[in-house]
């Protein structure tokens, strides 16, 4: 029985791997839930740039405000755009799923758990991998999500990315200037941005997307912040308990030995 299970798992493993992004090399990031400034910045970007279409139905504004240490009145004033919505409610949007499907081909999915579904690296790479493609309805395509139904909503920050590469080159190395490991020289980049078409430098843009994905990782597992802290206390408690338990054991056994 065990053997069959292992065989089954091995058969399924490649499927899960390819669902997470095919052959494209993802740009790795290390998320950091202790960096409150980054999380706050990410939440601001999320409500301003993403919640026009996507919702985060498992997340409440109030909980995020508490966890990220943003004063509730600031969240009410600057992050909740629907006048009928209260801070205790979920981060949902009014767009009807049926309309969204008509407009975009696919409805924008709920993003509460997106980084758990795809991984933070995938989301980080995806948001930075739109490029000009006049054959697509929104004039853009995406390296890690071919023929995506989402427009490049961050284009005014990043600039218009025009690629002059074959699809194979794109797949091989589409992200920024990679250093050639043999020569230490910067390799010719596959990515080129129309000059002055974006309001941010490449570093600034990467940082903005990093903060956004950091926030999305928090959202996918809000209790992780608390459980990390509690875990430390539990270990300290166990260490202290051990001293007393050991002393008690010695006391009980002292006449036997
Ligand atoms: C104009 C509407 C719109 C906005 C604004 C928007 N998206 Fe999307 N997004 C979509 C649509 C539509 C899809 C579905 C695309 C598809 O399946 O082809 C999508 C898909 C995605 C996906 C892939 C989901 C999956 O796993 O299949 C991610 C991740 C995503 N969006 C993140 C974001 C983030 C982060 C923002 C804010 C910076 C954002 N989106 C803003 C419309 C939007």
């Amino acid at each position: 029985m065990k053997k069959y299970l292992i065989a089954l798992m091995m058969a399924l493993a490649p499927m899960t791997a390819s669902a997470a992004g095919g052959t494209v090399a993802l740009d790795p990031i290390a998320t950091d839930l202790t960096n409150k400034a980054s999380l706050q910045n990410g939440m601001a970007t999320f409500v301003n740039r993403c919640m026009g279409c996507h919702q985060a139905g498992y997340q409440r504004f109030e909980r995020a405000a508490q966890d990220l240490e943003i004063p509730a009145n600031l969240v009410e004033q600057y992050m909740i755009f629907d006048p009928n919505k209260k801070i205790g409610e979920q981060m949902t949007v009014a767009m009807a799923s049926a309309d969204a499907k008509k407009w975009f081909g696919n409805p924008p999915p709920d993003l509460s758990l997106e980084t758990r579904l795809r991984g933070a690296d995938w989301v980080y790479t995806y948001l930075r991998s739109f490029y000009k493609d006049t054959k697509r309805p929104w004039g853009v395509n995406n390296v890690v999500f071919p023929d995506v139904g989402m427009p490049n909503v961050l284009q005014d920050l990043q600039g218009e990315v025009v690629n002059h590469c074959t699809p194979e080159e794109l797949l091989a190395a589409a992200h920024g200037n990679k250093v050639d490991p043999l020569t230490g020289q910067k390799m010719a980049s596959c990515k080129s941005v129309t000059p002055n078409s974006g309001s941010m430098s490449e570093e600034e843009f990467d940082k903005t997307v990093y903060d956004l994905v950091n926030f999305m990782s928090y959202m996918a597992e809000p209790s992780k912040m608390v459980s990390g802290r509690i875990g430390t206390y539990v270990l300290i408690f166990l260490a202290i308990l051990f001293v007393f338990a050991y002393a008690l054991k010695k006391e009980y056994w002292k006449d036997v030995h």
Side-chain angles (χ1 to χ4, degrees):
M1 186 61 202
K2 214 168 164 191
K3 258 192 202 152
Y4 289 119
L5 260 181
I6 293 172
L8 184 70
M9 275 159 71
M10 283 172 74
L12 289 177
M15 275 159 78
T16 51
S18 66
T23 45
V24 183
L26 300 178
D27 298 333
I29 53 166
T31 53
D32 178 5
L33 299 187
T34 61
N35 188 345
K36 292 278 152 62
S38 159
L39 294 171
Q40 292 168 354
N41 188 25
M43 182 171 175
T45 309
F46 187 80
V47 296
N48 279 301
R49 298 271 176 167
C50 314
M51 279 186 68
C53 299
H54 293 278
Q55 62 179 29
Y58 299 105
Q59 179 72 48
R60 286 174 199 276
F61 284 105
E62 196 167 27
R63 171 80 193 262
Q66 282 163 5
D67 286 345
L68 272 49
E69 293 166 12
I70 310 176
N73 64 324
L74 291 186
V75 170
E76 277 168 338
Q77 217 174 329
Y78 297 111
M79 290 186 170
I80 305 178
F81 306 123
D82 180 348
N84 298 318
K85 209 176 242 316
K86 305 260 168 1
I87 190 167
E89 289 178 42
Q90 286 104 330
M91 296 171 66
T92 49
V93 290
M95 192 191 283
S97 184
D99 284 341
K101 185 152 173 42
K102 204 159 62 206
W103 294 330
F104 299 106
N106 286 321
D110 187 296
L111 292 182
S112 313
L113 302 173
E114 182 68 16
T115 58
R116 274 214 258 173
L117 176 71
R118 300 274 199 178
D121 295 351
W122 188 91
V123 179
Y124 177 70
T125 310
Y126 164 72
L127 291 170
R128 291 155 52 258
S129 296
F130 285 90
Y131 65 95
K132 185 174 173 181
D133 181 352
T134 48
K135 290 192 287 298
R136 298 294 306 155
W138 301 109
V140 285
N141 210 326
N142 192 290
V143 182
V144 295
F145 194 148
D147 294 345
V148 69
M150 172 172 145
N152 183 5
V153 297
L154 302 175
Q155 181 159 318
D156 59 313
L157 308 178
Q158 183 185 26
E160 184 189 42
V161 178
V162 201
N163 273 293
H164 305 284
C165 322
T166 62
E168 290 75 28
E169 279 174 313
L170 267 177
L171 285 178
H175 302 288
N177 293 317
K178 294 263 156 62
V179 174
D180 187 328
L182 291 178
T183 60
Q185 302 270 318
K186 272 199 167 180
M187 298 201 294
S189 172
C190 229
K191 185 165 86 181
S192 54
V193 180
T194 307
N196 303 322
S197 59
S199 61
M200 286 183 173
S201 71
E202 193 173 339
E203 290 75 41
E204 286 168 340
F205 180 69
D206 286 354
K207 167 80 172 52
T208 301
V209 178
Y210 170 84
D211 291 348
L212 173 61
V213 178
N214 207 17
F215 171 71
M216 289 172 72
S217 312
Y218 149 74
M219 210 160 52
E221 215 174 340
S223 55
K224 201 169 173 184
M225 242 177 206
V226 184
S227 57
R229 204 165 55 228
I230 294 178
T232 318
Y233 291 135
V234 170
L235 287 179
I236 294 172
F237 169 77
L238 285 177
I240 297 171
L241 183 70
F242 174 78
V243 176
F244 289 102
Y246 188 70
L248 191 66
K249 181 240 167 213
K250 279 199 117 169
E251 181 64 24
Y252 278 168
W253 285 78
K254 75 171 186 273
D255 298 334
V256 182
H257 290 302

